Amino acid sequence: MTSAPQLHTGVCVRVPAKVNLELRVGPPRPDGFHSLATVYQAVSLFDTIEVSADRDWGIEVVGRTAAGVPADESNLALRAAHALADAAGIDRPVRIRVTKEIPVAGGMAGGSADAAGALLACHRLWGLDLSPAELAAIAAGLGSDIPFLLAGGTALGGGRGERVVPTATRGTYHWVFALSDEGLSTPAVYAECDRLRGAAPVPQPEPSADLLAALSFGNAEAVADGMGNDLQEAALSMQPALAGVLEAGLSFGALAGIVSGSGPTLAFLCRDAESAIDLAVSLTASGAAADVRKAHGPAAVGPVEVATCR
Ligand code: ATP
């Protein structure tokens, strides 16, 4: 006979994945990161983070995409909880339960989402009073995408991606994501981008004014025209089969298709919710993509709420 799981009062938050509508990559900086100009959008694929007070620090990873995610001290959610405890000068161990829906090593910032969720949930559980800027500084120390994922929505990212400014957008954007069987390592994709560029001078990156205008008008066609990713060539060079999936998505009616972040997930923007269903069905039925997910953006984080955790 199996015993019933022990229940604790904890704090729970849902954190979305992201897609980069535009990702302009500048030259490598002295610290090894690249300067970026990016337009982030959070999309409705969510990981859920639950934290509860415990005798020892610990983490458990479950859910549809949990395979291969480390359930140890290297997990970004646990590292984030430790970083917040250190910054606040406290030692109150937590148990973290991550329920993963976001593709892993897919260019959708799943680990970063979990770190952002752990920061928000522990901040609440421990009754801390850090300002958004203080939380963002801790987030930036853990990873470039994490400050954006503290709030989600749509935002401009500068620096190495950690300096975020929310942007005004209208409307809802309908996405289909084609998942790949095998992940890509983000540092390896940047290295391949540098290799392909060779010795040619690389200008400082700028976001496109046309894309920002299109977002403020809520014009999906114009947003599609403005989408672009400087890491795409490198991701396609490392996984050449992605080119055929991109072509298939466009032939099945997507307004635009790009590699999401460092890939290998492909992001297709669709005219409306119905076109997204049609595209997801066509990509699946044709066998062009190993797996597909439909989502919409911009998505928000949260709410951060007290919950009953296992
Ligand atoms: P990004 O878009 O931020 O570059 P990604 O979406 O390509 O990242 P992640 O899903 O964040 O990649 O995973 C990258 C690696 O980080 C994984 O291979 C995994 O070993 C490790 N990792 C650590 N913590 C987590 C976590 N909570 N969720 C997923 N991966 C994690």
Side-chain angles (χ1 to χ4, degrees):
M1 201 172 83
T2 53
S3 56
Q6 238 191 317
L7 299 176
H8 310 269
T9 300
V11 173
C12 176
V13 62
R14 280 195 333 159
V15 187
K18 61 85 185 160
V19 61
N20 302 79
L21 301 177
E22 185 177 28
L23 179 51
R24 298 293 165 217
V25 178
R29 312 188 313 187
D31 63 5
F33 289 102
H34 291 70
S35 339
L36 301 182
T38 190
V39 180
Y40 291 112
Q41 183 164 96
V43 295
S44 61
L45 295 179
F46 294 96
D47 283 355
T48 304
I49 313 298
E50 297 167 64
V51 299
S52 52
D54 211 329
R55 254 199 303 267
D56 295 308
W57 298 88
I59 184 151
E60 178 188 4
V61 185
V62 298
R64 191 172 177 181
T65 60
V69 177
D72 58 26
E73 292 289 326
S74 70
N75 192 296
L76 264 176
L78 191 51
R79 286 175 47 207
H82 279 300
L84 180 60
D86 289 348
I90 59 172
D91 181 19
R92 289 197 225 159
V94 290
R95 170 146 203 93
I96 303 178
R97 182 177 162 94
V98 181
T99 305
K100 287 209 71 77
E101 288 290 324
I102 302 175
V104 176
M108 301 194 74
S112 301
D114 300 344
L119 287 176
L120 293 167
C122 290
H123 186 262
R124 172 76 183 271
L125 183 78
W126 294 330
L128 302 177
D129 191 21
L130 272 63
S131 67
E134 287 169 320
L135 263 188
I138 298 169
L142 292 158
S144 304
D145 294 336
I146 305 175
F148 168 65
L149 290 163
L150 290 172
T154 306
L156 209 53
R160 55 181 165 81
E162 86 288 12
R163 291 205 328 248
V164 286
V165 181
T167 51
T169 66
R170 272 202 184 83
T172 299
Y173 297 85
H174 299 275
W175 295 96
V176 173
F177 295 98
L179 277 47
S180 187
D181 281 337
E182 241 179 90
L184 276 177
S185 141
T186 302
V189 176
Y190 275 96
E192 176 68 358
C193 174
D194 290 339
R195 191 188 68 79
L196 291 171
R197 283 174 166 178
V202 180
Q204 284 303 322
E206 297 275 354
S208 128
D210 287 350
L211 174 61
L212 295 174
L215 283 164
S216 71
F217 290 122
N219 180 335
E221 279 86 357
V223 168
D225 289 343
M227 282 165 49
N229 181 356
D230 286 350
L231 293 178
Q232 179 150 323
E233 198 187 342
L236 294 185
S237 141
M238 295 172 76
Q239 284 198 13
L242 294 176
V245 189
L246 272 176
E247 255 174 54
L250 294 172
S251 74
F252 291 140
L255 293 175
I258 55 169
V259 166
S260 175
S262 54
T265 303
L266 301 176
F268 295 102
L269 181 60
C270 301
R271 192 175 307 281
D272 49 32
E274 226 167 83
S275 319
I277 295 171
D278 290 345
L279 177 58
V281 169
S282 301
L283 281 171
T284 308
S286 66
D291 200 359
V292 299
R293 300 275 198 285
K294 228 161 31 64
H296 57 266
V301 173
V304 184
E305 55 193 5
V306 174
T308 303
C309 302
R310 266 198 280 179

